[in-house]
Amino acid sequence: ALPKNTGRRAVYFSSCIHRCLGPAFPQDRPIDEILSDLCGQNGIEVILPEKPDSLCCGLAFASKGFPEIAARKAAELRAGLEKVSGPSLPVVCDNSPCAHHLKQAGVPVLDVIEFAKAYLVPENGQRPGARAVEIFPVCSVHHQGLSGDLERVAKAHAEDVHRPLSA
């Protein structure tokens, strides 16, 4: 866990999907920029692994029937993350399916929801940032048991949180 003082640090793994595709609309900010800004506002220095654009969790390969390549990519990522995280720095992944896949592969990583709940939700419980947000917990969020945490993080940063009945 991060100590509750200044000079806190965390390793950030930006998933392939976010690095390759970026925001949905040109006017939107990329997730890595948003997460880095939120970390900065909370006194957390973001550290990137070496050659981040070459790293992949392997989920895309596993889902297409290439388990050997998936395992190799997860092992490469683990080595790259351990090189900069050492034994004590938390590692955060910005994509829940990737974080879930990495956990299943034995890579110690925090889903962005876990990280946000632990380190980005203000002490008083709320930092208004948006009037309203829509959340949709994907399957991997449910599998990790993070649906409630997602809602709590959203409520800490928005006045009104909407969740579809089917989510």
Side-chain angles (χ1 to χ4, degrees):
L2 287 171
K4 294 286 183 188
N5 61 17
T6 58
R8 301 182 298 166
R9 303 183 318 154
V11 176
Y12 174 40
F13 168 62
S14 180
S15 65
C16 301
I17 193 82
H18 291 136
R19 289 192 320 262
C20 294
L21 298 181
F25 301 101
Q27 70 271 18
D28 292 342
R29 292 173 55 205
I31 188 78
D32 59 336
E33 186 180 301
I34 294 168
L35 186 59
S36 293
D37 284 353
L38 286 170
C39 285
Q41 292 168 13
N42 285 278
I44 299 169
E45 177 188 357
V46 174
I47 300 168
L48 300 176
E50 292 178 11
K51 300 179 184 176
D53 291 339
S54 69
L55 299 174
C56 172
C57 72
L59 178 60
F61 296 101
S63 68
K64 300 294 185 244
F66 300 105
E68 298 84 13
I69 298 172
R72 188 179 82 234
K73 294 306 287 179
E76 288 172 5
L77 176 58
R78 181 183 195 131
L81 294 173
E82 286 176 350
K83 192 172 185 180
V84 292
S85 70
S88 61
L89 293 182
V91 176
V92 59
C93 176
D94 62 13
N95 184 280
S96 293
C98 295
H100 182 56
H101 176 74
L102 287 168
K103 288 176 183 180
Q104 290 179 320
V107 179
V109 64
L110 294 173
D111 184 290
V112 69
I113 297 166
E114 294 169 300
F115 181 80
K117 180 184 171 207
Y119 305 117
L120 303 179
V121 172
E123 297 286 331
N124 67 4
Q126 186 161 22
R127 175 186 291 136
R131 192 177 84 42
V133 297
E134 182 84 23
I135 60 171
F136 190 93
V138 296
C139 297
S140 58
V141 171
H142 290 292
H143 289 303
Q144 294 179 83
L146 298 175
S147 300
D149 290 344
L150 174 60
E151 197 160 336
R152 282 187 281 287
V153 168
K155 285 180 179 178
H157 289 88
E159 295 174 23
D160 193 17
V161 175
H162 301 275
R163 180 179 178 169
L165 294 176
S166 62

